[in-house]
Amino acid sequence: MITVIGIFDDSKLAEEAGSYLLANQFTQERVDMHTHADNTNEPDRVGEFFSHLFEDEIKADHYATLARQGSVITVHALSAREAQEAVDVLNNYGAINVNANNEGAGLYSQVIERIVTDDKRLKGV
């Protein structure tokens, strides 16, 4: 399974991206939507999620910080083609540049070839 992540500053754009994905071949079981308001009294699930995805602690912290300030759409794609379609949708709806070092081309939606177990997902959190 391939995990695709888009982080958004604008929660309305994140909702629109999620709605588009759900209306176009992606099922609710494979699309997670999370906003910073969702976890006000919860443990740091966002930090756990990114630590699970990235072995580099600095990179995981960078992504988690951005995600805590905005909204995250995560797509659990079954193929490279499906992952690319998700990337295109998230980028078209305004996923932010998450490039930690500000060098080179911007990095927007991220594709990570790592399975995210149900206990680490941001679904409903």
Side-chain angles (χ1 to χ4, degrees):
M1 189 164 300
I2 303 167
T3 303
V4 178
I5 303 163
I7 300 174
F8 295 80
D9 282 337
D10 186 330
S11 61
K12 184 176 179 182
L13 291 176
E15 288 176 26
E16 290 174 8
S19 294
Y20 183 89
L21 289 166
L22 293 173
N24 291 279
Q25 90 181 16
F26 293 91
T27 63
Q28 263 188 318
E29 294 79 30
R30 294 190 295 119
V31 177
D32 299 336
M33 292 184 257
H34 172 81
T35 63
H36 65 280
D38 289 342
N39 68 342
T40 52
N41 294 317
E42 296 290 325
D44 187 14
R45 296 280 310 249
V46 171
E48 291 174 15
F49 173 74
F50 285 104
S51 291
H52 177 73
L53 286 179
F54 301 110
E55 293 178 12
D56 180 341
E57 187 176 323
I58 293 171
K59 189 173 187 176
D61 286 344
H62 174 71
Y63 279 79
T65 298
L66 292 172
R68 286 185 198 105
Q69 298 169 359
S71 298
V72 181
I73 302 287
T74 308
V75 178
H76 306 281
L78 299 176
S79 68
R81 179 194 59 80
E82 205 174 75
Q84 187 56 54
E85 289 176 12
V87 165
D88 292 343
V89 169
L90 298 177
N91 289 346
N92 288 341
Y93 275 91
I96 65 169
N97 183 339
V98 294
N99 193 352
N101 58 15
N102 294 321
E103 294 177 9
L107 300 173
Y108 295 88
S109 298
Q110 298 297 296
V111 176
I112 298 103
E113 292 194 39
R114 177 171 277 184
I115 295 173
V116 178
T117 58
D118 283 343
D119 64 321
K120 299 290 184 199
R121 287 177 64 172
L122 293 176
K123 181 168 64 174
V125 177

